[in-house]
């Protein structure tokens, strides 16, 4: 590889990492406009393994906006990111896949909830599959799949 190709690959990896981080921040902050902006127009999301829905980014963003009101405190940690760029004979292509683990502690809302207590009482964990495409506007998600492995809830 040439230095120019190496630099392009590093820049792609950083841009892809920023999209994945932006995804976590958008969900945690409830910024559904930012969430939608991370996807291509035909983007799809599948939360079915976690008891959620599978659908277009618009459908899922609307579902999340309603569902996440159950969790007023949430923190999304996405770690162990394995980024695989399409390889076009030594040059980076226009698609990528990311496999990353997640840990998602949240605080459930409810009539018995003490508003002063913000410690989590619900934790989910598993692995994400992200598919991305290079667009005119930079890297965008084409598909997100959640593979929930475990969850824990305390009273």
């Amino acid at each position: 590889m040439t230095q120019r190709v190496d630099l392009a690959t590093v820049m792609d990896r950083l841009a892809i990492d920023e999209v994945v981080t932006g995804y976590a921040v958008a969900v945690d902050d409830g910024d559904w406009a930012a969430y939608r902006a991370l996807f291509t127009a035909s983007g799809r999301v599948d939360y079915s393994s976690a008891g959620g829905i599978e659908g277009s980014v618009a459908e899922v963003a609307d579902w999340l906006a309603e569902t996440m009101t159950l969790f007023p405190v949430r923190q999304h940690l996405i770690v162990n990111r394995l980024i695989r760029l399409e390889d076009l004979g030594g040059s980076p292509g226009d698609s990528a896949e990311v496999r990353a683990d997640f840990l998602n502690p949240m605080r459930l809302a409810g009539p018995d909830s003490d508003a002063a207590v913000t410690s989590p009482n619900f934790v989910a964990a598993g692995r994400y599959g992200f598919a991305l495409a290079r667009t005119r506007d930079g890297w965008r998600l084409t598909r997100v799949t959640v593979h929930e492995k475990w969850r824990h809830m305390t009273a």
Side-chain angles (χ1 to χ4, degrees):
M1 272 195 216
T2 67
Q3 286 182 340
R4 186 173 300 219
V5 171
D6 289 343
L7 179 58
T9 299
V10 169
M11 298 301 291
D12 282 338
R13 288 180 176 281
L14 288 171
I16 289 165
D17 188 70
E18 187 172 338
V19 171
V20 171
T21 298
Y23 172 89
V25 170
V27 172
D28 290 346
D29 292 351
D31 187 344
W32 309 119
Y35 179 89
R36 286 177 174 91
L38 294 167
F39 287 83
T40 61
S42 60
R44 305 284 299 173
V45 186
D46 185 354
Y47 290 142
S48 59
S49 79
I53 68 168
E54 189 277 331
S56 71
V57 66
E59 293 167 327
V60 173
D62 290 345
W63 173 80
L64 282 170
E66 183 178 328
T67 303
M68 288 296 111
T69 61
L70 300 172
F71 305 97
V73 177
R74 51 190 181 263
Q75 184 178 22
H76 220 115
L77 307 172
I78 301 178
V79 300
N80 300 334
R81 300 167 194 218
L82 181 59
I83 299 172
R84 297 200 189 277
L85 287 165
E86 177 185 25
D87 184 348
L88 299 177
S91 296
D94 293 333
S95 65
E97 292 185 356
V98 178
R99 188 179 76 188
D101 295 328
F102 72 88
L103 179 67
N104 190 200
M106 299 182 281
R107 179 78 185 160
L108 281 162
D112 299 330
S113 294
D114 181 348
V117 177
T118 58
S119 61
N121 59 2
F122 181 91
V123 180
R127 181 165 286 162
Y128 276 114
F130 296 100
L132 298 97
R134 185 190 318 268
T135 71
R136 288 188 317 246
D137 299 319
W139 286 95
R140 294 293 182 264
L141 296 164
T142 59
R143 182 152 189 89
V144 174
T145 305
V146 173
H147 304 282
E148 186 178 85
K149 293 184 177 184
W150 62 267
R151 64 173 60 175
H152 177 75
M153 194 163 105
T154 58

